[in-house]
Amino acid sequence: MTLLVAGWVALDEIETPFAKVEQSLGGSATCAALAAAQFTDVRLLAAIGEDFPERERSKLEGRGIDLAGLRTVPGGTTSRWGARYHYDMNTRDTLYTHLGVNDGWQPVLPEGWEDSSAAFMAADDPATQRALMGALTAPRATMVDTIKLYIEAEEAGVREAMREASFASVNETEARQLTGVASIAKAARSLVEGGARAALVKLGEYGAVYASEDDYFVAPGYPLEEVVDPTGAGDSFAGAFLGYLDTVPEVTAAEIRRGIIYGSTVASFAVEGFGPNRLLELKRDEVEARYREFRTLTHIEEER
Amino acid sequence: MTLLVAGWVALDEIETPFAKVEQSLGGSATCAALAAAQFTDVRLLAAIGEDFPERERSKLEGRGIDLAGLRTVPGGTTSRWGARYHYDMNTRDTLYTHLGVNDGWQPVLPEGWEDSSAAFMAADDPATQRALMGALTAPRATMVDTIKLYIEAEEAGVREAMREASFASVNETEARQLTGVASIAKAARSLVEGGARAALVKLGEYGAVYASEDDYFVAPGYPLEEVVDPTGAGDSFAGAFLGYLDTVPEVTAAEIRRGIIYGSTVASFAVEGFGPNRLLELKRDEVEARYREFRTLTHIEEER
């Protein structure tokens, strides 16, 4: 079983009320791949520039991620993103986005990767997401993520990608933007009525809501003791969710619910460090221990 | 088993982006009492003015609430509160608070009410809350709620009331205000370390976090399809929580967890109408059906 992760690898500048990092490994695909690597074999498809530090590449290699799809664009510079978080750590200002090598790059699936059993398409041009998903021969589970930028510029394409993927991932704002309804419960159902096979609405520290034609699930957030940096939490969630699903004998509703809890669990680790730093040292037994704790602290005994 | 509810009965003016009501039955004690009346016998202790409409009194009587403690202050006017909700329905501006009869009123327990088996002290001067709780002979479960006003003016008293009650109820902002920590998980634990026997942090539509010395529980919010008016949701939660606990053979950790789900369930109905209007027509079988639905949509099967 092998999970394809396509998206961005970037160098980030992140400032919180408590600390700041620069030239820090980041990007949607980085976080998703590291989260997924807790569970399954991961193939990373992304572009970097000639300036991408060797030590950052080594970090990814060190976690067993297949980097045959990490393409160095000749003469290009790695994408850079800067953001500053507000005091509550839930809202941020994007300071800059330098596309670098991602400006116009068309990812192509490396030979042999068509057999990936699952795929996460991090936020990107929906045409690219669809082309990559279409190149897979028989994926069991695929997920597309998106952001405001693509919803505004390519709404029809975003909707089409959501119809083709097994799961569509959005945050609260994006769910409202796509459906025009304020209620998260209604928005999740509306995405499914609008053609998405299943919608996962991420509520940040408050958990997630999942809707499909035959299931509806709400999960609280793991109670976070300390948030160092929320960047990449959503991608970590997605990576762990799909990584877990890639390992189960059959993708059932019950497994999807467990996958959501695994997603929340790994995301709760991700926010404990800057960018993917905590994920880089995360051990599977830590994930399992927190997953069990999460289950315990949300469990309600059956009625007498 | 009988639950004492002490707090305010008021006439509210509420404006949302979609509708507006004036002179509408409201107040913390009204919502809590109506929510609790789904489960147990309720005694209401509150002050009203001579202007309080008979038809509003009849509504409360019609739900079987004991109004021997609903005192009409001679020459007084009923408290009035006005608020306007923003588009997201999570934030509001208080337009005015006219204390009316609640300005300086000292509630006294009606004779015979000392035997109340549970009590909810809605937000009030902590000295009043403590005096009322102290007048009960052997309550099994008591809860104090508070608001910013009392935390600022009477913080030591608020903390003392929290130590004396079985449960302290706060929202996110109040939890941070009392503990000085941003993390809800840490704040809930900090309240318990600071002397509260148990802390219930209400997260509005996102559910609740519960901490005591020997338990920790997180519950997602019930997925709300339509919010007409969030006013009184917290008091409805508290009333249903204590109302349910008043009926169980023993107040165990498992029952407290069920009580929190009952609290969320009844609060989810409360927000479907202005003020307590939805609660006034709510039937127990609707509560049970939604409670079961809530359990289903948060349930995760045991691991194979």
Side-chain angles (χ1 to χ4, degrees):
Chain A
M1 313 304 276
T2 315
L3 171 69
L4 168 69
V5 172
W8 279 32
V9 170
L11 295 172
D12 291 348
E13 175 184 339
I14 299 166
E15 191 180 334
T16 74
F18 315 105
K20 183 175 176 174
V21 290
E22 290 181 57
Q23 298 278 334
S24 179
L25 179 63
S28 54
T30 305
C31 295
L34 286 167
Q38 290 292 328
F39 302 92
T40 192
D41 291 337
V42 178
R43 293 164 169 168
L44 177 62
L45 181 59
I48 50 174
E50 290 181 350
D51 58 340
F52 190 71
E54 183 54 36
R55 69 163 191 285
E56 306 299 348
R57 171 189 278 274
S58 304
K59 288 179 186 171
L60 296 169
E61 263 167 357
R63 304 299 285 190
I65 296 168
D66 185 342
L67 300 183
L70 185 65
R71 303 294 171 83
T72 304
V73 176
T77 55
T78 304
S79 300
R80 279 170 169 73
W81 180 77
R84 184 186 293 131
Y85 283 88
H86 300 183
Y87 181 74
D88 71 359
M89 297 288 256
N90 282 321
T91 48
R92 71 183 176 211
D93 298 321
T94 295
L95 301 176
Y96 57 82
T97 305
H98 299 151
L99 297 177
V101 293
N102 276 297
D103 187 5
W105 185 65
Q106 290 297 327
V108 176
L109 217 52
E111 205 169 324
W113 282 22
E114 301 81 6
D115 67 353
S116 300
S117 47
F120 175 57
M121 302 289 117
D124 208 335
D125 178 354
T128 300
Q129 294 179 318
R130 293 176 60 200
L132 289 173
M133 285 192 291
L136 301 180
T137 47
R140 288 204 315 171
T142 55
M143 179 182 256
V144 287
D145 190 38
T146 192
I147 52 174
K148 193 176 168 211
L149 173 75
Y150 300 111
I151 298 174
E152 283 171 358
E154 304 278 354
E155 185 170 333
V158 168
R159 291 183 187 282
E160 196 50 50
M162 287 183 168
R163 266 189 287 275
E164 292 172 10
S166 321
F167 306 98
S169 158
V170 289
N171 66 24
E172 279 180 89
T173 310
E174 293 150 5
R176 293 195 176 107
Q177 194 182 355
L178 278 163
T179 62
V181 296
S183 153
I184 292 302
K186 267 193 187 168
R189 288 202 174 95
S190 173
L191 286 169
V192 174
E193 285 156 15
R197 285 155 64 188
L200 194 58
V201 184
K202 299 166 289 183
L203 307 178
E205 65 171 310
Y206 301 113
V209 167
Y210 171 83
S212 70
E213 273 202 9
D214 52 14
D215 198 22
Y216 196 88
F217 178 56
V218 294
Y222 177 83
L224 301 166
E225 292 268 332
E226 192 172 8
V227 176
V228 170
D229 171 22
T231 309
D235 293 306
S236 303
F237 182 106
F241 171 75
L242 281 175
Y244 172 73
L245 287 187
D246 197 37
T247 67
V248 303
E250 196 186 346
V251 180
T252 61
E255 294 291 10
I256 289 168
R257 288 179 174 218
R258 289 189 194 111
I260 290 167
I261 301 300
Y262 271 113
S264 288
T265 301
V266 174
S268 79
F269 283 110
V271 303
E272 291 178 359
F274 269 102
N277 287 348
R278 181 68 179 91
L279 297 181
L280 283 165
E281 57 179 34
L282 183 61
K283 294 185 182 66
R284 180 63 187 265
D285 58 2
E286 291 178 296
V287 175
E288 291 303 325
R290 188 172 288 185
Y291 174 85
R292 286 192 301 271
E293 184 204 347
F294 202 169
R295 292 289 305 269
T296 302
L297 56 78
T298 58
H299 181 72
I300 298 172
E301 283 175 33
E302 288 302 311
E303 269 25 65
R304 296 164 307 268
Chain B
M1 313 304 277
T2 315
L3 171 68
L4 168 70
V5 172
W8 278 33
V9 170
L11 294 172
D12 290 348
E13 175 183 340
I14 299 167
E15 192 179 334
T16 75
F18 315 106
K20 183 175 176 175
V21 290
E22 291 181 56
Q23 298 278 333
S24 178
L25 179 63
S28 53
T30 305
C31 295
L34 286 167
Q38 290 290 330
F39 302 92
T40 191
D41 291 338
V42 178
R43 292 164 169 168
L44 178 61
L45 182 59
I48 50 173
E50 290 181 351
D51 58 340
F52 191 71
E54 183 54 36
R55 68 165 191 285
E56 305 299 349
R57 169 188 280 275
S58 304
K59 288 180 187 171
L60 297 169
E61 263 168 356
R63 301 301 284 190
I65 296 168
D66 185 341
L67 300 183
L70 185 64
R71 302 296 171 81
T72 305
V73 176
T77 54
T78 303
S79 299
R80 277 172 170 73
W81 180 77
R84 184 185 294 131
Y85 283 88
H86 299 184
Y87 180 74
D88 71 359
M89 297 290 254
N90 281 320
T91 48
R92 71 183 176 210
D93 298 320
T94 295
L95 301 176
Y96 57 82
T97 306
H98 298 152
L99 298 177
V101 294
N102 277 297
D103 187 3
W105 185 63
Q106 290 297 327
V108 176
L109 216 53
E111 205 169 324
W113 283 21
E114 301 82 5
D115 66 354
S116 301
S117 46
F120 175 57
M121 302 288 118
D124 207 336
D125 178 354
T128 300
Q129 295 178 317
R130 293 175 61 199
L132 289 174
M133 285 193 291
L136 302 180
T137 47
R140 287 202 317 170
T142 55
M143 177 182 257
V144 288
D145 190 37
T146 192
I147 51 174
K148 194 177 169 210
L149 173 76
Y150 300 111
I151 298 173
E152 283 172 357
E154 306 276 353
E155 185 170 331
V158 167
R159 290 183 189 280
E160 195 50 50
M162 286 182 169
R163 265 190 287 274
E164 292 172 9
S166 320
F167 306 98
S169 158
V170 289
N171 65 25
E172 279 180 90
T173 310
E174 293 151 5
R176 293 196 176 106
Q177 194 182 356
L178 278 163
T179 62
V181 296
S183 153
I184 292 302
K186 267 193 185 168
R189 289 202 174 94
S190 174
L191 286 169
V192 174
E193 285 157 14
R197 286 155 65 186
L200 194 57
V201 184
K202 298 166 289 182
L203 307 178
E205 65 171 310
Y206 301 113
V209 167
Y210 171 82
S212 69
E213 276 202 8
D214 52 15
D215 199 22
Y216 195 88
F217 178 56
V218 294
Y222 177 82
L224 300 166
E225 292 268 333
E226 192 173 8
V227 176
V228 171
D229 170 22
T231 308
D235 294 305
S236 302
F237 182 105
F241 171 75
L242 281 174
Y244 172 73
L245 286 187
D246 197 38
T247 67
V248 302
E250 197 185 347
V251 180
T252 61
E255 293 292 10
I256 289 168
R257 287 178 174 217
R258 288 189 194 110
I260 289 167
I261 301 301
Y262 272 112
S264 288
T265 301
V266 174
S268 79
F269 282 110
V271 302
E272 291 178 359
F274 268 103
N277 286 350
R278 182 68 179 91
L279 296 181
L280 283 165
E281 57 180 35
L282 184 60
K283 294 185 181 66
R284 180 63 187 266
D285 57 3
E286 292 179 295
V287 174
E288 291 303 325
R290 189 172 288 185
Y291 174 85
R292 285 192 301 271
E293 184 204 348
F294 202 169
R295 292 289 305 270
T296 302
L297 56 79
T298 58
H299 181 71
I300 298 172
E301 282 175 33
E302 287 302 311
E303 263 34 55
R304 298 163 309 266

